[in-house]
Amino acid sequence: DCPVENVSWNDAQSYIKKLNEQTGKTTYRLPSEAEWEYACRGGKANDKYCGGNDVDALAWYDKNSSSKTRPVAQKQANAYGLYDMSGNVNEWVEDWYYGSYTGAPQDGSAWVTGGGQTNRVLRGGSWYGIPEYVRTAYRYYSLPSHRNSNFGFRVARTLP
């Protein structure tokens, strides 16, 4: 009932590989950072959090989480019906971390070229974060091998 936690980006990739093998599909993956933000915003470009502007109605964060992950779908969904995109766990995305979007792909695909990067992007903030860290636009990063009790992931699927 709670989100997966304490997983690295590498762990997420292993899970996705197994999922694709078991289902016979090769379309499950981590979302790109652009896809994640688009889904989070739910068609509303000006919302501070994923689904609106009331952090308590939308997110598990440091003031209301009791310092742990919480059962999913207990907070308000965004306009696309997605839950817990603000708070609960930071979610790994496919992209390497760059300090700005200069040179980022313009088509919504993951930024995986360029070389020399050491960190992957996490989005959404977590039960551990302050309201600023669960905002729609907030970005975090870590080594792909790093696990943390507030790191998780959300699977995306490319449709045929």
Side-chain angles (χ1 to χ4, degrees):
D1 293 328
C2 290
V4 65
E5 60 182 275
N6 207 19
V7 293
S8 68
W9 183 90
N10 294 335
D11 294 334
Q13 294 298 326
S14 293
Y15 172 83
I16 290 167
K17 181 180 178 192
K18 289 178 185 175
L19 179 62
N20 285 326
E21 288 169 357
Q22 287 180 348
T23 62
K25 302 179 188 305
T26 56
T27 58
Y28 292 102
R29 58 185 173 75
L30 289 178
S32 72
E33 186 173 8
E35 289 172 324
W36 188 96
E37 187 164 331
Y38 181 85
C40 170
R41 290 189 180 278
K44 297 182 177 182
N46 296 320
D47 284 353
K48 190 171 186 176
Y49 306 103
C50 301
N53 294 309
D54 181 353
V55 68
D56 287 307
L58 298 161
W60 294 112
Y61 67 107
D62 71 336
K63 298 288 188 226
N64 67 5
S65 68
S66 301
S67 299
K68 61 184 179 181
T69 57
R70 307 301 298 182
V72 298
Q74 301 300 303
K75 296 289 183 177
Q76 179 180 318
N78 72 6
Y80 291 157
L82 300 172
Y83 292 90
D84 301 315
M85 293 197 75
S86 283
N88 224 357
V89 293
N90 289 288
E91 297 180 6
W92 290 107
V93 296
E94 188 66 27
D95 303 59
W96 286 108
Y97 176 80
Y98 292 84
S100 77
Y101 292 118
T102 303
Q106 299 298 305
D107 62 358
S109 63
W111 196 356
V112 293
T113 60
Q117 302 308 311
T118 57
N119 292 299
R120 294 286 183 166
V121 178
L122 294 122
R123 297 297 300 264
S126 76
W127 58 264
Y128 182 77
I130 61 176
E132 178 183 338
Y133 297 164
V134 298
R135 289 179 305 116
T136 300
Y138 184 75
R139 305 169 73 221
Y140 189 64
Y141 59 89
S142 188
L143 294 170
S145 60
H146 187 196
R147 293 182 179 107
N148 193 299
S149 61
N150 63 359
F151 288 4
F153 66 98
R154 182 179 301 258
V155 175
R157 181 171 175 220
T158 302
L159 297 176

